[in-house]
Amino acid sequence: VDCDRLTIHGISIVNGLDPKDHGPNTDGIDPDGCTRVRISDCYIQSGDDSIVLKITGRPGGNRFCRDVTVTNCVLVTHETALKIGSETYGEFHNISFSNCAVRDAGCGVGLWMRDGGVIEGWTVDNISMTLTGGGQPIYMTSYPRSRLPEPGARVEAETTPGTVRSIMISNVTATSDGGIFLLGMEEKPLEGIVLDNIRIRMRGGREKELNADPPYPFPVWGHRQSPYDIYCRYVDDLKLRNVQMTWESPEKPEWGSAIRCRNVRDLEIDGFVGRQALGSEAPAIWLRDTKNAFIRNCRAPEGTGDFLKLDQGCEHVTSMSNELSGARKTAVLGPGVGPGELFESGNRPPRA
C-alpha cells in the first residue's frame, strides 16, 4: 500500500482455488496506490484475482499508480488474472503487462473503472490463456459505483464518470467460453483502444442469457456472463487489427455474430478473419449506431453468411480490399440506412 520503488521477483503464492472452500478475497498481489513497481517471474495460484492494480479511497492515501511492469508470470486463478480496478480513486499511468501464461481464469485481462479517476497508457502484450467456466479473454467496463452498486453494498456518493484511454492489447492467444467485451458510458466512452494480433477459440462452455441483447449498464461482475463474440459499445477510436475468431465444434446458432459494434465512433477493422456461428442468420460483423468505420483486408471463411450488416444509425462506412468469396453476401443494409452510407471498393465478391 502506497509503496514506491517496489520489486517483487521470483516468488510463489499458492492459495486455494475455490473461494467457497478456502475463503473469498484470496488475491495474489494487489499493489494499492503504488508507483515504480516491478513484478516478474512469479507463480501465483489464487481463488480470487491474481495481480490487481488499484487505488482505494483511503483517507490520505496515494492517488497515483504509475510506472508499473508485470512480466514473465504464470497465473492460475478462477477469477481475473491481470486486472486494473475496480477501486479507481485516482490516476493510473504507464502500466505494462507482458509475457504471462494464464490458466483456468474467469477473465484473462480485465479493467473495471468504478470510482472516477483516469486509466491511461496501459499496454498488454504476449499473453497466452486457457479460460474456464464462462471465462472472457478481455473485459473492460466503465460505470460509476455510485450508479451501479454491488448487491447488498451501501450506496456510494455520486462520482463523475472515469476516463479510460490509450489502451493497447496485442499478441494474445485464448481458448475460452467468450470473446472480448468493451463497454464504456454513453456520456463518457472508452477512448483510443487498440486490439492487435488476437486469436480466440471460443468453446461456448456456458449458457449466456445476456448474449443476444447485452443490457446497459451491464452487471457489475458480468465477465462470466458477457457475450460469446467480440462486443463493443460506447467506444471512440477503436482499432481491431489482425483479430481471428473461431468457433469450436459443435457450433450453436445462438452464438451469433463474430463482431458486434454499437455506439462506436471512428472504428477500424483491419485483417479480421471470422464468420458467424454455423446455423445463425446473424452477420459476421454487425454494426449499429456506428459512425466513421473503415473495414479492410478481412477474410470471410467458407460458410460465412452476410459478411457485414449496417443497422440503424450507421453512417460513413467503408469496406474495401476484403476477400469475401466465402460469404453469401458482402453487405446488408438495415432499415433506415441509406445506400450512400456504405462505400465498397476492391472487395472480392462471393462466388456465384
Side-chain angles (χ1 to χ4, degrees), residues 42-121:
C42 297
Y43 176 87
I44 300 174
Q45 176 181 300
S46 57
D48 213 323
D49 305 321
S50 297
I51 298 176
V52 187
L53 306 184
K54 60 179 66 179
I55 302 174
T56 55
R58 298 166 287 104
N62 190 10
R63 291 294 178 260
F64 286 92
C65 178
R66 64 187 311 152
D67 306 330
V68 178
T69 63
V70 176
T71 190
N72 299 339
C73 293
V74 175
L75 309 173
V76 182
T77 174
H78 281 181
E79 284 302 323
T80 302
L82 295 163
K83 178 179 175 181
I84 296 181
S86 68
E87 295 87 347
T88 56
Y89 293 92
E91 298 189 15
F92 300 78
H93 298 279
N94 300 340
I95 313 294
S96 175
F97 294 168
S98 66
N99 304 335
C100 292
V102 175
R103 181 162 60 84
D104 296 338
C107 177
V109 176
L111 180 154
W112 277 258
M113 167 60 81
R114 298 272 285 148
D115 305 299
V118 176
I119 299 174
E120 181 177 29

Side-chain angles (χ1 to χ4, degrees), residues 270-303:
D270 189 347
F272 168 71
V273 179
R275 56 165 171 76
Q276 84 293 339
L278 292 179
S280 173
E281 290 301 313
I285 300 174
W286 194 347
L287 307 183
R288 180 177 175 183
D289 291 310
T290 294
K291 297 176 173 58
N292 302 323
F294 189 28
I295 302 167
R296 62 182 177 183
N297 302 326
C298 300
R299 181 169 62 85
E302 292 294 330

